[in-house]
Amino acid sequence: MLEILKLDPTLTDALLDWIDVDINATFPDGAEDDIYLLENPPYRAANRRLVSVSELRLVQGFTDDVMKVLTPHVTALPGQTRAFPRWCTSRGSSPWSWRGRGRHDPR
C-alpha cells in the first residue's frame, strides 16, 4: 500500500519495530527506544499494537505529510478484531460506499 500511495516503503520497518515486543531495532530501517529517547520530549516505543491511527505520528518517518496521505486508508482495530477485506477501500473511496449483501454488510 505504501508504494501505491507513493510513500517510502521503509516506513514498514519503523512501524514493525514500534509494535514488536522487544526493545531491539530488528528491522533495517526500524527504530526503538534508543532513537525515540533522543526526541524532545523523549518517549519510548510502544512495543504493542496501535491503539489509534494518530499514534503513527510518534513512529519514526511518519511525518505530517505522510499522515495526510496515509490516514484516509488505515485504521487501528482493538485487540483481536477481525477485519473484513471486502470492506477495504480502493484509493480515494469511502469504506461505507460498498453495498454488498453478506451478513457483514455495514448498513
Side-chain angles (χ1 to χ4, degrees):
M1 179 171 70
L2 294 174
E3 290 176 356
I4 292 169
L5 296 174
K6 297 184 176 26
L7 295 173
D8 183 356
T10 64
L11 290 169
T12 302
D13 288 353
L15 179 57
L16 289 172
D17 266 336
W18 181 262
I19 64 174
D20 71 5
V21 296
D22 63 34
I23 59 169
N24 303 311
T26 307
F27 303 94
D29 292 298
E32 285 283 354
D33 290 351
D34 59 332
I35 300 296
Y36 299 121
L37 288 172
L38 297 175
E39 296 292 327
N40 188 15
Y43 56 95
R44 295 186 180 277
N47 295 325
R48 58 158 172 71
R49 293 176 180 207
L50 295 173
V51 174
S52 168
V53 171
S54 64
E55 188 177 347
L56 286 171
R57 293 182 183 280
L58 297 171
V59 180
Q60 181 182 25
F62 285 79
T63 63
D64 288 341
D65 290 338
V66 168
M67 293 299 292
K68 285 177 192 173
V69 173
L70 187 61
T71 300
H73 304 281
V74 297
T75 191
L77 298 173
Q80 296 293 325
T81 303
R82 189 171 150 199
F84 297 100
R86 67 182 180 178
W87 286 11
C88 296
T89 65
S90 61
R91 192 169 174 184
S93 67
S94 165
W96 303 114
S97 65
W98 178 81
R99 295 291 182 237
R101 294 288 187 252
R103 66 179 191 166
H104 301 295
D105 188 345
R107 290 190 283 170

